[in-house]
Amino acid sequence: MIGIPEARAAEGSLRPEEFASIPLDELDGYLPFPAALELVVAPLFCNTFDALEIIERLGAQDYRKTLRVVAPKLPNRQIVLRELRSHAARQGITIELVEEG
């Protein structure tokens, strides 16, 4: 998880070494990503970055798996999802969009 400091793995779902919640400015310390990494989770937007920046940074690191984007309830989910997927497709990343609330 990137940029979601309060995030925690569901109890019993992952071993501690399989989960990390980090600020964006610490991302480089986790590179290169382990080959077994299947999922990165990040917010649609926050005070310091947005999901489009995460897509670009992950793509630059040859991450080609799934990015789950967490968003508030959106007025038009499909427009946001289409925009995210258009950026992610160029990087070879699969997008999942999860709305809170």
Side-chain angles (χ1 to χ4, degrees):
M1 299 209 168
I2 301 171
I4 308 174
E6 67 279 0
R8 303 287 178 265
E11 191 172 324
S13 65
L14 298 171
R15 294 187 307 268
E17 67 273 10
E18 295 176 323
F19 177 87
S21 181
I22 61 170
L24 181 62
D25 60 359
E26 292 181 18
L27 179 61
D28 290 342
Y30 287 83
L31 300 175
F33 289 134
L37 181 67
E38 294 288 329
L39 175 68
V40 173
V41 179
L44 178 61
F45 53 84
C46 66
N47 292 336
T48 57
F49 65 90
D50 64 24
L52 297 180
E53 181 179 346
I54 295 296
I55 290 168
E56 296 301 318
R57 293 205 44 193
L58 293 176
Q61 295 301 319
D62 294 324
Y63 179 77
R64 302 291 183 258
K65 296 184 182 170
T66 301
L67 172 62
R68 181 173 297 151
V69 177
V70 179
K73 187 73 173 152
L74 299 167
N76 194 328
R77 181 181 193 281
Q78 288 308 109
I79 289 174
V80 173
L81 187 56
R82 186 173 26 239
E83 180 74 13
L84 291 171
R85 283 183 173 159
S86 72
H87 287 278
R90 291 191 289 266
Q91 300 294 340
I93 296 170
T94 301
I95 292 290
E96 295 177 355
L97 180 60
V98 177
E99 293 176 275
E100 296 178 323

